[in-house]
Amino acid sequence: MTTSHDSAGRWSDLDRPPLNATALRRALVLPDGGLWTSLDVVESTGSTNSDLVARAGELPEGAVLVAEAQTSARGRLDRGWTAPPRSGLFVSVLLKPEVPMHRWGWLPLLTGVAVATGLGRAAGVDLSLKWPNDVLVRVGGEERKTGGILAEGAGGHGVVVGLGLNVSLRADELPVPTAGSLLLGNAVSTDRDTLLRSVLRSLERWYETWQRSDGDPAASGLQRAYAEKCATLGRRVRVELPGERTLEGDAVAVDGDGRIVVETEGGGTEAVAAGDIVHLRAVG
């Protein structure tokens, strides 16, 4: 695999320049310490998550792998995901949290908060989060999925968290009508170097705050921040659960374990740890 810096003279789309790996390392991999310990940009790979998981035992925490294109990217439930080269951010990071393992489930939610806040500053767009791992942007007044987050265990060597984010996708390039991009959401900047720096700095801040609180989502402010960004709360939802069971009701809270709490017609509640959410309408 070659780095995108090496391919800078072979742009196929002048609106989509390659990432500057040297400048990114200079800005993010700091000699006096910090979370990020290495940053590599590759021209193409199957999956940045799979690559980091395979190397997690030999790499220190804070390794970052970015691809200009992915050929076998996966979302939740092993769903495929594709995008044109250099049209987005396709990045994975290796984390080795020193907090109780039962709180590691907050990592994809923490990443969602970091992405939404970091891009809010750098791209000037108001992003929201669909539980548990989708990043939403408004396009023409409609909520559209512009990104997804996938966390995977690394065989006892921590967790790899991946982000796939549509940055400059045009309307005729969208894989499905419900997809969006920062460009279509009227972002003030689609400079991927700037956006990636902002996302990783935001992720570092949230991760360190969460770790200092021993992974406690309430004490770290993470639970409140996620609720503020979560577009699922306050909505009528249908949850497609494992085993072909469905649950319909009002999404009323995200609990201390990161589960979405759904209030059903009978007045009871159910906390859901895994499932596909369909937003039906606002409550009330």
Side-chain angles (χ1 to χ4, degrees):
M1 292 183 289
T2 61
T3 67
S4 62
H5 180 73
D6 294 335
S7 65
R10 302 195 296 274
W11 300 357
S12 58
D13 189 330
L14 293 179
D15 290 332
R16 292 172 176 160
L19 291 163
N20 187 328
T22 301
L24 286 167
R25 277 192 290 271
R26 188 183 303 120
L28 294 164
V29 182
L30 305 178
D32 56 350
L35 177 59
W36 310 121
T37 52
S38 65
L39 189 149
D40 294 305
V41 180
V42 297
E43 185 67 19
S44 179
T45 190
S47 162
T48 55
N49 260 33
S50 295
D51 290 351
L52 270 192
V53 166
R55 298 185 59 204
E58 66 190 63
L59 292 171
E61 180 177 49
V64 180
L65 179 62
V66 191
E68 297 285 30
Q70 290 189 109
T71 58
S72 303
R74 293 168 291 113
R76 289 178 63 250
L77 307 179
D78 281 333
R79 292 173 177 142
W81 182 85
T82 59
R86 300 189 300 278
S87 66
L89 293 177
F90 321 124
V91 55
S92 297
V93 302
L94 174 61
L95 302 174
K96 301 184 179 185
E98 294 182 359
V99 304
M101 190 170 288
H102 71 272
R103 288 175 169 164
W104 288 20
W106 272 95
L107 281 171
L109 282 69
L110 181 155
T111 303
V113 170
V115 169
T117 54
L119 292 177
R121 287 189 295 268
V125 288
D126 185 16
L127 299 176
S128 59
L129 304 170
K130 179 183 174 186
W131 186 90
N133 69 337
D134 289 348
V135 181
L136 305 180
V137 66
R138 284 200 167 272
V139 178
E142 295 183 355
E143 288 177 340
R144 302 278 193 90
K145 179 178 176 179
T146 192
I149 296 160
L150 179 66
E152 299 183 85
H157 301 290
V159 179
V160 170
V161 182
L163 167 69
L165 184 83
N166 296 332
V167 174
S168 65
L169 246 65
R170 307 165 188 121
D172 62 352
E173 295 175 316
L174 296 175
V176 293
T178 54
S181 69
L182 298 186
L183 175 70
L184 296 175
N186 298 318
V188 298
S189 173
T190 56
D191 182 327
R192 293 182 305 136
D193 284 81
T194 299
L195 301 180
L196 182 57
R197 286 197 302 270
S198 187
V199 165
L200 290 177
R201 285 169 175 158
S202 180
L203 179 54
E204 180 174 13
R205 285 191 295 270
W206 274 107
Y207 181 68
E208 290 181 347
T209 298
W210 178 70
Q211 286 226 112
R212 284 196 301 269
S213 301
D214 202 32
D216 187 316
S220 63
L222 176 59
Q223 189 173 3
R224 181 180 65 254
Y226 186 85
E228 290 173 351
K229 287 289 184 183
C230 184
T232 303
L233 292 179
R235 303 285 282 268
R236 187 77 176 175
V237 299
R238 182 173 68 252
V239 190
E240 297 172 358
L241 298 162
E244 300 186 356
R245 186 169 77 90
T246 61
L247 173 69
E248 186 169 320
D250 300 335
V252 295
V254 174
D255 71 10
D257 293 320
R259 300 176 300 180
I260 195 79
V261 179
V262 178
E263 186 177 89
T264 58
E265 290 290 347
T269 60
E270 183 169 342
V272 176
D276 277 354
I277 293 277
V278 178
H279 289 172
L280 301 178
R281 56 178 168 79
V283 175

